[in-house]
Amino acid sequence: QVQLVESGGDLVHAGDSLRIACAASGRSFSGYVFSWFRRAPDKGREFVASIKWTSGTPSYGDSVKGRFTISRDNAKNVIYLHMSDLHVEDTAVYYCAAKRTAYRDYESWGQGTQVTVSS
């Protein structure tokens, strides 16, 4: 099973940029998709972005398109989420998750990293 550890969450101001990371370990990642989700206070879980490990193909949620970029470092086994032009509404706990491309459900989740955007 894949183990995931997020890092990089911080308190920033609106308009700032921030990069958070997800370190993956445990097995070969060929055929896997890694995603970022977030959960804001009193809100449900929201899909942010995903990336296919082998091809690097990204996908984004509508609320972050054009502002966030997902990438991966194959050599370091790290998935990054670069966030720019942060809004107060981006405040949330950000979670990294992994699943096999052909499966619907995610098999692994990280513990989350807090991103707080102040006005």
Side-chain angles (χ1 to χ4, degrees), residues 34-80:
F34 290 83
S35 299
W36 286 98
F37 291 84
R38 66 186 182 186
R39 187 184 294 273
D42 300 323
K43 292 187 178 180
R45 188 173 64 200
E46 178 186 10
F47 169 76
V48 175
S50 68
I51 189 166
K52 294 183 178 179
W53 184 260
T54 303
S55 67
T57 303
S59 178
Y60 298 95
D62 289 341
S63 63
V64 305
K65 280 181 182 177
R67 299 188 298 123
F68 290 12
T69 302
I70 189 171
S71 63
R72 87 263 190 258
D73 185 325
N74 296 62
K76 296 181 179 179
N77 290 342
V78 177
I79 300 91
Y80 298 102

